[in-house]
Amino acid sequence: MALLDFLKYDRKESKIQEQLSKLLTAQLTHLGANSAIWQPFNFESLLEQAYQKNPDVYSVINFLSKKMSNVPLCAYDSEGNKIEYEPFEKVKEQPNSYQSFNDFLANLYSNYLLTGNGYIYCQKGETAITEGRILLVEALPSVYIEAISGKSGRGVAEYRFTEGYINTKMDADNVIHIKNVQMAFGSGEHLYGQSPLQAAFKSIQTSNSGYDSQKASMDNQGAAGILYNKGIDFAGGKDAWTQDEINEMRQSIKEVRKNSNSNSIGVGVGDLGYINFGITPVDMGIMEVLDLSLSDVCNAYNLPVGLFNNNDSSTFSNQEQYRKQAYTDSILPTLHKFEYCFNHLFMNDEGVYFKFDTSEIPELQADKKEQVSALSGAYWMTPNEKREMMGLAAIEDADMNQVYVPSSLTPIDLSGFEGEEWAQPTSDI
């Protein structure tokens, strides 16, 4: 048997062992009732290295969570009219003992954006008076949440919040979990969503190293180079400066480098030489690395990098377009996912549903104006059809369901002009 045959055999056996190992791990995970299903990624490391230490990640998530939490969530009746729904109004007034509703939303969105998982804990009344009523809602810190398998080992029976040595278990029926798509499948990974930052994590780590190097360069600049007398024989020390001459030259350099003498020209005596062995952050390519990292993070969230003070996009018109793009490509699609959560949370038999009111977003007003202008000339549509396209409820009136044709145009036969007369030119050409 040739050597290559042995190598092929070893690789095949290794592959079988790897598959058996994965199968055994999956079986042990799913067969164990009430056992923790570990998250496929270390979200605590993500929180520490990305959100808490990387300004690019913090800026992106902070931008998105603030913009999203400022879009109002509203209740609508079955006919599409905005209403005040009492259970919802009470939650908006005081979602829990330590947050406003806006803070609750910002916390929920930030957790989801960071980890790809958002958890809403809902406590409902159990007494005769409060039964079925929502008493409080909280946004759970998704970094510290783990799923606990059910009896069959599939699905989730409850969630566990681990804080230090304290474990708090919550029934799955009281937790609404919204998550990103997860392609990993095997040992329960599919029960968690993938964070957008997982794909950019190496870039984030590189960025952190760049910031560390930049800080170290500022803190420990050391000597930028060495100034010497060209007549010195370095090997033998011939014609070397005395210590007094060295000290005098150092003092001269200090005087030149003072703030009051910035950009001034130092004057030296003698045939002097200079060797530059300092490396600046620009020379090391750190600034380029930081720019690339910001671009990677923005791409992970479908945001234009120009939103975050990119030098190539400083004009006002560009910024206006970038803010609009942030809503259409990132913010609004994410908010639509959360509409499902709130409709599930306030599920009712009264036909009431919930959606975000985007009509007052300044960045989208230009589109609204263009839409209104286009619909005003669409005479082949009924007023109610136009209202529907604008996101407004229909008006229950027969006249609103008719097509109104413009009457300002008159057939040529009724205009008072003769056909030949109409066709004649008014002057010679």
Side-chain angles (χ1 to χ4, degrees), residues 245-356:
E245 289 174 328
I246 292 174
N247 292 338
E248 185 178 347
M249 184 58 68
R250 283 176 177 170
Q251 185 62 35
S252 299
I253 294 174
K254 286 182 180 179
E255 290 296 327
V256 172
R257 295 185 64 182
K258 283 183 178 179
N259 291 334
S260 59
N261 291 319
S262 60
N263 297 322
S264 63
I265 300 175
V267 178
V269 179
D271 188 12
L272 303 179
Y274 177 76
I275 300 174
N276 180 12
F277 54 76
I279 301 177
T280 68
V282 175
D283 295 330
M284 295 171 63
I286 292 177
M287 305 310 296
E288 293 182 9
V289 169
L290 298 182
D291 286 341
L292 289 174
S293 174
L294 174 60
S295 179
D296 288 341
V297 173
C298 288
N299 288 338
Y301 289 97
N302 295 323
L303 288 173
V305 68
L307 274 174
F308 301 93
N309 298 323
N310 184 273
N311 293 330
D312 298 331
S313 50
S314 58
T315 65
F316 176 78
S317 59
N318 282 348
Q319 288 295 318
E320 190 176 24
Q321 184 62 34
Y322 292 146
R323 289 193 294 271
K324 175 183 172 183
Q325 184 181 343
Y327 274 97
T328 57
D329 293 356
S330 183
I331 296 173
L332 294 185
T334 305
L335 287 177
H336 290 324
K337 294 185 67 173
F338 277 93
E339 285 178 349
Y340 161 78
C341 288
F342 292 108
N343 279 291
H344 181 71
L345 180 64
F346 296 98
M347 191 177 297
N348 60 87
D349 298 326
E350 306 170 45
V352 177
Y353 65 95
F354 300 85
K355 69 176 183 177
F356 290 95

Side-chain angles (χ1 to χ4, degrees), residues 59-77:
S59 298
V60 167
I61 291 182
N62 191 48
F63 169 83
L64 287 172
S65 63
K66 282 186 175 180
K67 292 292 186 182
M68 290 169 61
S69 59
N70 284 329
V71 180
L73 179 68
C74 301
Y76 296 82
D77 62 19

Side-chain angles (χ1 to χ4, degrees), residues 35-236:
S35 62
I37 300 174
W38 306 110
Q39 296 180 359
F41 188 78
N42 187 348
F43 288 140
E44 290 188 45
S45 177
L46 187 69
L47 174 64
E48 179 184 358
Q49 296 189 44
Y51 186 72
Q52 294 179 341
K53 292 185 177 181
N54 190 286
D56 297 334
V57 174
Y58 177 84
S59 298
V60 167
I61 291 182
N62 191 48
F63 169 83
L64 287 172
S65 63
K66 282 186 175 180
K67 292 292 186 182
M68 290 169 61
S69 59
N70 284 329
V71 180
L73 179 68
C74 301
Y76 296 82
D77 62 19
S78 57
E79 297 179 352
N81 300 307
K82 191 182 296 184
I83 61 171
E84 290 190 359
Y85 185 59
E86 184 180 359
F88 177 56
E89 295 301 323
K90 288 186 176 181
V91 170
K92 283 179 64 178
E93 183 179 347
Q94 190 66 58
N96 51 62
S97 61
Y98 61 93
Q99 284 181 316
S100 67
F101 189 68
N102 190 271
D103 291 337
F104 157 76
L105 289 178
N107 195 5
L108 174 64
Y109 298 150
S110 296
N111 276 280
Y112 171 77
L113 291 167
L114 177 64
T115 67
N117 296 272
Y119 301 91
I120 302 176
Y121 172 70
C122 173
Q123 181 180 337
K124 296 183 179 180
E126 297 178 353
T127 66
I129 299 176
T130 63
E131 185 176 6
R133 184 193 303 174
I134 298 176
L135 302 181
L136 67 86
V137 293
E138 289 184 274
L140 301 177
S142 53
V143 172
Y144 306 105
I145 300 298
E146 292 174 347
I148 308 299
S149 62
K151 292 182 179 180
S152 65
R154 296 188 179 275
V156 179
E158 57 188 21
Y159 292 91
R160 181 170 66 190
F161 171 36
T162 303
E163 184 181 15
Y165 296 100
I166 301 175
N167 293 325
T168 304
K169 292 186 178 182
M170 297 156 287
D171 191 88
D173 292 337
N174 294 331
V175 177
I176 298 177
H177 179 196
I178 181 171
K179 58 189 178 69
N180 283 338
V181 173
Q182 175 64 264
M183 300 306 296
F185 189 91
S187 301
E189 297 100 323
H190 61 286
L191 298 178
Y192 298 97
Q194 176 174 319
S195 168
L197 298 177
Q198 284 180 243
F201 195 58
K202 288 186 178 180
S203 179
I204 293 168
Q205 289 176 314
T206 304
S207 172
N208 288 345
S209 298
Y211 282 114
D212 290 340
S213 298
Q214 193 176 38
K215 182 178 183 302
S217 176
M218 295 295 293
D219 292 344
N220 306 300
Q221 292 183 43
I226 183 171
L227 186 68
Y228 65 94
N229 185 348
K230 286 185 177 180
I232 293 178
D233 179 4
F234 281 102

Side-chain angles (χ1 to χ4, degrees), residues 347-407:
M347 191 177 297
N348 60 87
D349 298 326
E350 306 170 45
V352 177
Y353 65 95
F354 300 85
K355 69 176 183 177
F356 290 95
D357 183 5
T358 61
S359 61
E360 300 300 323
I361 297 176
E363 287 81 357
L364 303 181
Q365 293 309 303
D367 289 345
K368 287 287 185 182
K369 291 179 182 179
E370 293 177 5
Q371 191 174 13
V372 169
S373 177
L375 290 175
S376 64
Y379 62 85
W380 57 87
M381 299 177 66
T382 68
N384 272 338
E385 288 173 337
K386 296 178 183 180
R387 289 179 62 85
E388 183 180 356
M389 291 192 67
M390 293 295 297
L392 302 173
I395 297 177
E396 296 298 328
D397 189 324
D399 292 338
M400 296 295 289
N401 293 314
Q402 294 190 41
V403 174
Y404 290 83
V405 180
S407 59

